[in-house]
Amino acid sequence: MQIINEYNLSYILRNAPVGICIVDAATLVVEMANAHFLKLTGKPEEAVLGKHYREIFPLDRLDQDEMILNKAVQEGRPYTAREREMLQLHDGEKEMVMVSFVYSPIKNSKGSVTSLAVWLLENTAHGLNEELAATNEEFAAANEELAAANEELAATNDALIETQANLQRSEKLFRSIALNIPGSLIMVIDRNHRYITIEGDIMEKMGFDRQKYEGRHPSEVSPERYEASRHLYERVINGDQFSIEWKTEDGEFYIVHFVPLKNERNEVDAGLIITLDITGIKQAEEKSAKLAAIVQSSDDAIVGKTLESVITSWNAAAERIFGYTEDEMIGQTIYKIIPSDRQDEEPQILARLKKGERVDHFETKRLTKDGRLLDISLTISPIKDAQGNIIGLSKIARDITEKKQEEQRKNDFIGMVSHELKTPLTSLSAIIQMGTTKLRNSEDEFLSGAMENASRQVKKMTSMINSFLNISRLESGQLLIEKEPFRLDELLRETLEETKLTVSSHIFSLNECNDITVNADRDKISSVISNLISNAVKYSPRGKLIDIRCQTEGKMVVVSVKDEGIGIKASEIDRVFDRYYRVENRDLRHISGFGIGLYLSAEIIKRHDGKIWAESESGKGSTFYFTLPLA
């Protein structure tokens, strides 16, 4: 069946030989009235259209008519109301005719009644009634076809609404994706290079404006840029998928991907252009390349390993020092080069590193492929990810075998020289003591003072030689620690009294030291105390206070020596206990010393299971501390 279109249906309604008007089902307002309807009612069109149905027909039996109207709306089928007389003009003469009222519901695609067709049927001639009935049937058929058409149009409309909603969702999704890709600019162009859409968080940075560009041809908004990019647009529209990299004058790097977008017929409909800022990646690559070059060219062995001690990287220096190639070591554990008697070092180092600590200048021995033992200095650092989690370890190993040998030769020489010097120095000390005794009552004040000064210098020389000998013994493992219980407070008083005999330039105080007994080597601890007091005197101006204290903390005693001297810089305070290290300061050039006193003191305290450290502030003095276990 062919569906009557709306134009034909309207023509039928307006020219039908019966009176017809269309009334809104909800408001009963007249929406349309044909010529015969106006003729039967004797009213002009403006008096009918837009008027309430009751204004046109002030019915006597309104309740019954309204009931029929409601039934037609509620039940969705036509009803015929009562007949009534109506006056009409026919060939210039007035004529009373009987008219029947028929109410036909009009439904939408969902089956709901939206309007009523009110038919006015004249009952003056049987033939006319038959013709009207036929017309009514034709109209009813047309109405059914229109309803079917309405259903189809409604379905099509729903599909269009859904499609439009999907497109809107897709557009929002596209923009959301584009905005959430960091450092991106995403554009879509049609076959004529016109911008369909543009989005991204670097859009403004790249000089694009969505409102200015979308829907327009690039030649309209940026002719110079288009001329430079036209050949790229043509390539992607011709189906070529490719990428290019470029660098700006400011040193920024970008990669641009061109992707052809095809339809179901495999034809290119549009081009997708994705620009990504890869400056950070490029800088990281350059940094990584430089770092790799440094690692490979380093004279030190640089080894990467996991928290399980499995080797992950092995540079050329590691291959040269240990004799193993990279292929031989990657995937192996570091225990492969650790001697059997030092296997316990690795767990201890790992425990410190897992806490985030760094191991600096850890001296040990390692095994080469050909079985040689090397003296090695290790610096080991934790490797962390972006979240701060430790994911691996970096180890720098330096071969200090030759350095150790040189130090040993130097220590042997110093030990030998010091030992040889002790004999003539002892004789010299005895001669000075005899001379001092004979000159004690001499009237020659110069000779008496000279002998006393010579005695002090001999004692100083003896102390220095003993320090060198102790270092030599320490390095050779022959520095003996003979522990015995003794009163530390008494040793502090004795040492301080001896110092006062030769030092009158400073003020000394000893506080909080009573009845403290320790189990230690009395002579070695005496040399530690003497060295700390001597340093405090050397590095403090005349007349300043040297404060000595001791107090117990748990099972330990803490001894401190505080001065009011020049202080130590924060960058140097951790190195003052290194062997032969002296603080670099032009104001200290007149102060003699070899930088061995604090080193020897630290080693002695360490062998007593104690700790030694310093606190200082440049220009405000220093405090040196050490601890010993109580007896």
Side-chain angles (χ1 to χ4, degrees):
M1 179 186 296
Q2 184 177 0
I3 298 175
I4 300 174
N5 59 38
E6 292 185 8
Y7 174 79
N8 293 336
L9 182 59
S10 176
Y11 181 82
I12 293 171
L13 292 176
R14 292 188 178 278
N15 294 282
V18 294
I20 303 172
C21 78
I22 306 298
V23 180
D24 182 86
T27 62
L28 296 184
V29 172
V30 177
E31 296 177 338
M32 189 278 288
N34 70 352
H36 204 73
F37 182 90
L38 298 175
K39 177 182 177 182
L40 289 174
T41 57
K43 298 179 181 292
E45 187 174 29
E46 60 270 16
V48 175
L49 296 182
K51 304 297 183 181
H52 197 280
Y53 185 72
R54 294 173 185 167
E55 295 182 32
I56 303 169
F57 299 108
L59 305 176
D60 296 332
R61 298 165 64 187
L62 186 59
D63 293 340
Q64 182 179 354
D65 288 324
E66 191 167 350
M67 180 185 69
I68 294 173
L69 282 170
N70 290 334
K71 286 183 69 176
V73 172
Q74 294 171 2
E75 297 179 9
R77 59 193 184 90
Y79 278 91
T80 302
R82 63 182 177 84
E83 291 182 331
R84 64 172 294 177
E85 290 183 338
M86 297 188 67
L87 182 64
Q88 69 170 347
L89 292 175
H90 184 66
D91 295 333
E93 296 181 2
K94 292 182 179 180
E95 179 183 3
M96 295 297 294
V97 295
M98 296 298 294
V99 179
S100 294
F101 287 74
V102 178
Y103 302 104
S104 296
I106 299 174
K107 302 177 184 178
N108 61 15
S109 61
K110 297 180 181 179
S112 301
V113 177
T114 58
S115 304
L116 284 174
V118 181
W119 300 71
L120 305 185
L121 305 179
E122 299 176 62
N123 298 331
T124 55
H126 178 68
L128 182 58
N129 285 340
E130 290 180 354
E131 184 179 349
L132 290 175
T135 303
N136 188 33
E137 289 179 3
E138 184 177 350
F139 178 77
N143 189 34
E144 290 178 2
E145 293 186 12
L146 181 61
N150 283 339
E151 290 180 5
E152 185 176 345
L153 288 173
T156 302
N157 188 50
D158 290 343
L160 288 173
I161 292 173
E162 184 177 357
T163 300
Q164 185 177 11
N166 289 335
L167 287 173
Q168 290 176 347
R169 283 194 295 270
S170 297
E171 184 179 358
K172 289 181 180 179
L173 181 61
F174 166 79
R175 295 196 185 280
S176 176
I177 292 172
L179 281 172
N180 285 281
I181 298 176
S184 69
L185 171 67
I186 300 179
M187 299 185 297
V188 179
I189 60 172
D190 64 15
R191 290 190 57 82
N192 296 318
H193 303 177
R194 189 177 299 276
Y195 294 113
I196 297 174
T197 187
I198 180 170
E199 191 55 88
D201 62 351
I202 61 171
M203 179 172 55
E204 294 183 3
K205 178 181 177 182
M206 300 296 293
F208 288 90
D209 185 332
R210 184 188 306 116
Q211 294 181 348
K212 182 179 178 182
Y213 277 72
E214 282 188 356
R216 302 183 68 183
H217 195 275
S219 62
E220 301 175 17
V221 288
S222 182
E224 293 182 0
R225 174 180 280 174
Y226 177 55
E227 284 302 316
S229 305
R230 182 195 297 204
H231 66 290
L232 301 174
Y233 292 178
E234 290 175 350
R235 281 183 63 185
V236 71
I237 293 301
N238 288 331
D240 190 6
Q241 181 170 331
F242 60 98
S243 301
I244 62 170
E245 285 189 17
W246 57 283
K247 182 180 179 181
T248 67
E249 295 179 355
D250 297 330
E252 295 177 332
F253 290 89
Y254 295 89
I255 185 169
V256 187
H257 301 290
F258 292 83
V259 182
L261 302 179
K262 299 181 180 181
N263 58 24
E264 64 277 3
R265 296 186 298 276
N266 203 33
E267 299 170 343
V268 177
D269 272 348
L272 174 64
I273 304 171
I274 303 175
T275 302
L276 299 174
D277 185 346
I278 58 171
T279 303
I281 297 173
K282 282 291 186 180
Q283 290 174 344
E285 287 178 354
E286 291 179 359
K287 184 178 180 181
S288 179
K290 290 178 181 177
L291 181 61
I294 292 171
V295 169
Q296 282 304 112
S297 61
S298 173
D299 290 333
D300 295 329
I302 301 178
V303 180
K305 61 181 182 178
T306 68
L307 295 176
E308 291 74 34
S309 300
V310 177
I311 297 171
T312 56
S313 64
W314 186 263
N315 74 339
E319 183 174 329
R320 184 180 64 255
I321 292 172
F322 297 108
Y324 292 100
T325 66
E326 184 178 15
D327 292 338
E328 288 175 313
M329 293 304 292
I330 298 295
Q332 301 291 321
T333 68
I334 201 69
Y335 288 99
K336 191 169 182 176
I337 61 172
I338 300 178
S340 57
D341 60 338
R342 295 177 180 266
Q343 296 277 314
D344 60 333
E345 288 180 356
E346 183 69 6
Q348 295 173 10
I349 292 173
L350 287 174
R352 291 177 58 185
L353 291 167
K354 287 178 180 178
K355 295 178 183 178
E357 298 178 14
R358 173 185 168 98
V359 177
D360 284 322
H361 309 299
F362 176 74
E363 294 188 1
T364 183
K365 291 183 180 292
R366 290 295 180 260
L367 194 63
T368 66
K369 185 177 181 179
D370 57 10
R372 291 179 295 113
L373 280 177
L374 298 180
D375 288 297
I376 296 293
S377 174
L378 296 178
T379 297
I380 311 170
S381 305
I383 300 173
K384 300 179 181 180
D385 61 15
Q387 289 73 42
N389 302 313
I390 299 175
I391 59 174
L393 306 169
S394 174
K395 176 182 290 187
I396 300 176
R398 176 167 294 179
D399 184 356
I400 58 171
T401 302
E402 186 175 345
K403 177 184 175 184
K404 281 286 187 180
Q405 291 173 349
E406 288 180 359
E407 289 178 355
Q408 186 60 47
R409 288 192 292 268
K410 181 173 62 178
N411 290 333
D412 292 344
F413 173 77
I414 291 174
M416 180 191 68
V417 171
S418 300
H419 187 270
E420 294 297 323
L421 286 174
K422 285 195 70 177
T423 301
L425 195 61
T426 301
S427 299
L428 180 61
S429 177
I431 294 171
I432 291 174
Q433 287 179 8
M434 291 176 61
T436 301
T437 301
K438 291 186 177 184
L439 292 172
R440 185 170 296 162
N441 298 321
S442 173
E443 295 180 359
D444 192 334
E445 295 181 359
F446 171 78
L447 288 175
S448 177
M451 295 303 289
E452 288 181 1
N453 186 47
S455 179
R456 284 196 297 270
Q457 294 301 320
V458 167
K459 287 181 180 178
K460 185 176 180 180
M461 179 72 82
T462 302
S463 176
M464 289 174 60
I465 290 174
N466 286 335
S467 294
F468 282 125
L469 283 172
N470 282 331
I471 287 180
S472 178
R473 292 166 184 158
L474 180 69
E475 295 297 329
S476 61
Q478 296 177 358
L479 182 66
L480 298 178
I481 302 294
E482 297 179 354
K483 296 181 181 180
E484 61 179 359
F486 67 88
R487 289 274 298 274
L488 180 63
D489 52 315
E490 292 180 357
L491 177 61
L492 286 167
R493 292 188 187 94
E494 290 176 11
T495 306
L496 185 57
E497 290 302 321
E498 289 179 5
T499 303
K500 287 181 179 179
L501 291 175
T502 56
V503 178
S504 59
S505 57
H506 291 71
I507 303 169
F508 296 94
S509 68
L510 178 61
N511 300 288
E512 303 176 16
C513 288
N514 293 303
D515 299 329
I516 296 175
T517 302
V518 296
N519 187 35
D521 188 319
R522 197 176 194 278
D523 289 339
K524 302 296 189 301
I525 298 302
S526 175
S527 69
V528 171
I529 297 170
S530 295
N531 183 64
L532 295 182
I533 294 175
S534 174
N535 280 350
V537 170
K538 281 197 296 184
Y539 296 107
S540 297
R542 297 176 64 87
K544 293 296 183 179
L545 174 67
I546 308 297
D547 185 39
I548 305 162
R549 296 173 181 266
C550 63
Q551 60 185 30
T552 57
E553 293 184 2
K555 296 181 179 181
M556 306 293 286
V557 59
V558 181
V559 179
S560 64
V561 178
K562 182 180 181 181
D563 63 52
E564 297 177 346
I566 59 176
I568 306 169
K569 295 179 182 179
S571 60
E572 295 183 302
I573 198 165
D574 291 334
R575 300 189 60 191
V576 294
F577 297 103
D578 291 350
R579 183 174 47 186
Y580 306 127
Y581 182 80
R582 297 196 68 203
V583 174
E584 294 183 2
N585 190 324
R586 59 185 176 185
D587 296 331
L588 305 179
R589 292 175 183 174
H590 65 284
I591 299 175
S592 62
F594 293 95
I596 59 176
L598 288 178
Y599 167 71
L600 186 59
S601 297
E603 292 297 328
I604 291 172
I605 295 300
K606 188 185 299 182
R607 280 162 170 72
H608 282 81
D609 299 320
K611 290 173 56 180
I612 189 167
W613 71 97
E615 295 176 358
S616 182
E617 187 174 349
S618 185
K620 296 185 179 180
S622 306
T623 304
F624 282 80
Y625 302 85
F626 70 86
T627 64
L628 290 172
L630 292 169

